[in-house]
Amino acid sequence: MKAGFYQFGPEFGEKKKNINKVVSAIKDADVQLLVLPEFFATGYQFVSKDEVAELSEPVPKGDTTQALLQVSREKNMYIVGGLPERAGDTFYNSAVFAGPEGFIGLYRKTHLFFEETLYFSPGDTGFRVWDTKIGRIGIKICFDWFFPESMRSLALLGAEIVAHPANLVLPFCPDSMPVRCLENRVFAVTANRIGTEHRKKDHSLTFIGKSEVVSPRGEILVRAPDDEEALMVVDIDPETARDKALNPYNDLLKARRPDQYGPIY
Ligand code: ACM
C-alpha cells in the first residue's frame, strides 16, 4: 500500500489557489493514502473571529471537502486533509477523510494549540478509526501529538495508520513521532507545511516542514526537508501494525496495567 504526504506552503485566504495547487501537485502521484496539512486550503494564522467565520466551511458540503471528494474519486485514492469547519455557530479545527467511495468521516482536533483556542472550540468527536479497503485509518491533528493519550486511543481503537495533518511550529514532533509509533506499533503519516505567516505584528509563525512517514518499529521511512515543497510516498504494509508483540511475553497493548495508572484512568 502506498502512503504519503504533500508538504507545501499554503497562501493565507487563497482557498481556490491552494486547492488547485494540491490538485495539480498530485495529478500523477501513485498513492493510495495521501495526507495534506492542517488548514491546507486556508492558511493557519487567523487574526479574528470574522476571518474564521468567512473561511470556515460545513462538512461535507463545503467546497474544500467537495474538491477532495472529486480528486479521491477521479484518482481512486484516499485523502485526509485539515480545514476550519463551521457547524452552525461553532467552529472547529477539523480534518476530513475522503475516499473513492465518497465521504468517510470527520475528526475535530481535541487539543487546540496557542491562539487556536481564541477562535475554535475544542473537538467533540473523540478519536476515530475507519475500516477501509486500504487498512484501518485514524486521524489526529498537529498538537494532538503532544498528548500520548491521542496515539494510544487510536491504537486501542485498532488504527494501523494514523494520518496526522499538521502545521508544526515547535521543533519537537518529527523526532518524537518514532517513539509514539514504536510504543503503539502504528504507522504515522505527518503532513506538515512550510513557510512563514506574518499576519500579526508582534509574532510571525514559521512552520518547520519535516513531514514524515514513520513505521511501527519507529523507523523514519521518509522525511521531507524543512523548507521545500515535497510530495513523498512510501510502500507500507498496514498489517504489520497489527502485531503488538515485542517478544513472546510482552504484547504492548495487552500488557498495559490500567488498574495501576490511577490518575489517568
Ligand atoms: C499546531 O497544533 N498547529 C501546532
Side-chain angles (χ1 to χ4, degrees):
M1 201 279 261
K2 293 191 167 99
F5 54 79
Y6 177 47
Q7 164 177 299
F8 71 111
E11 281 181 48
F12 192 91
E14 300 289 338
K15 267 202 237 182
K16 272 203 182 130
K17 200 167 166 185
N18 294 325
I19 290 171
N20 288 341
K21 187 173 172 69
V22 169
V23 172
S24 88
I26 66 174
K27 189 164 45 81
D28 300 317
D30 180 11
V31 57
Q32 286 159 289
L33 175 65
L34 179 81
V35 185
L36 298 170
E38 181 181 17
F39 290 163
F40 77 92
T42 57
Y44 179 76
Q45 199 178 16
F46 290 91
V47 298
S48 71
K49 288 196 170 164
D50 285 348
E51 210 170 61
V52 172
E54 191 190 318
L55 290 170
S56 296
E57 298 178 14
V59 172
K61 286 211 172 103
D63 291 346
T64 303
T65 309
Q66 289 301 314
L68 295 184
L69 284 166
Q70 189 179 336
V71 180
S72 292
R73 215 168 24 245
E74 285 171 8
K75 296 218 25 106
N76 196 29
M77 65 165 72
Y78 290 80
I79 307 179
V80 174
L83 80 175
E85 181 203 354
R86 169 201 290 274
D89 295 333
T90 310
F91 299 94
Y92 297 101
N93 180 340
S94 297
V96 292
F97 188 14
E101 63 268 52
F103 179 70
I104 296 173
L106 165 77
Y107 165 69
R108 293 173 172 156
K109 187 176 185 179
T110 303
H111 306 95
L112 297 175
F113 178 69
F114 194 51
E115 291 179 341
E116 291 169 30
T117 54
L118 303 177
Y119 305 123
F120 295 95
S121 294
D124 59 359
T125 53
F127 292 96
R128 290 174 165 176
V129 172
W130 294 270
D131 219 343
T132 73
K133 284 188 205 128
I134 56 165
R136 291 178 62 86
I137 315 293
I139 303 178
K140 62 179 173 177
I141 301 178
C142 204
F143 190 50
D144 280 331
W145 83 267
F146 226 119
F147 300 82
E149 293 88 349
S150 309
M151 196 69 115
R152 182 65 97 204
S153 301
L154 288 163
L156 289 169
L157 287 166
E160 294 161 0
I161 307 170
V162 172
H164 183 212
N167 273 194
L168 296 160
V169 290
L170 302 177
F172 313 115
C173 180
D175 289 341
S176 302
M177 199 54 74
V179 178
R180 290 282 178 277
C181 289
L182 179 66
E183 65 199 3
N184 290 288
R185 293 271 158 146
V186 292
F187 288 93
V189 182
T190 297
N192 193 27
R193 61 162 290 177
I194 54 171
T196 298
E197 285 188 356
H198 306 275
R199 307 204 64 254
K200 283 202 165 173
K201 240 207 205 131
D202 300 335
H203 60 270
S204 51
L205 292 175
T206 296
F207 304 93
I208 67 162
K210 292 194 174 90
S211 299
E212 62 188 11
V213 180
V214 179
S215 81
R217 302 176 70 86
E219 304 146 322
I220 297 167
L221 301 176
V222 284
R223 180 183 274 182
D226 57 9
D227 58 357
E228 286 168 35
E229 274 183 42
L231 173 66
M232 295 182 128
V233 175
V234 63
D235 231 325
I236 62 171
D237 178 0
E239 281 199 21
T240 59
R242 292 186 195 168
D243 180 8
K244 307 296 183 187
L246 199 56
N247 58 49
Y249 302 93
N250 300 114
D251 177 291
L252 290 174
L253 293 188
K254 290 192 189 129
R256 294 164 57 251
R257 302 280 314 278
D259 59 314
Q260 299 296 309
Y261 306 157
I264 299 181
Y265 293 91

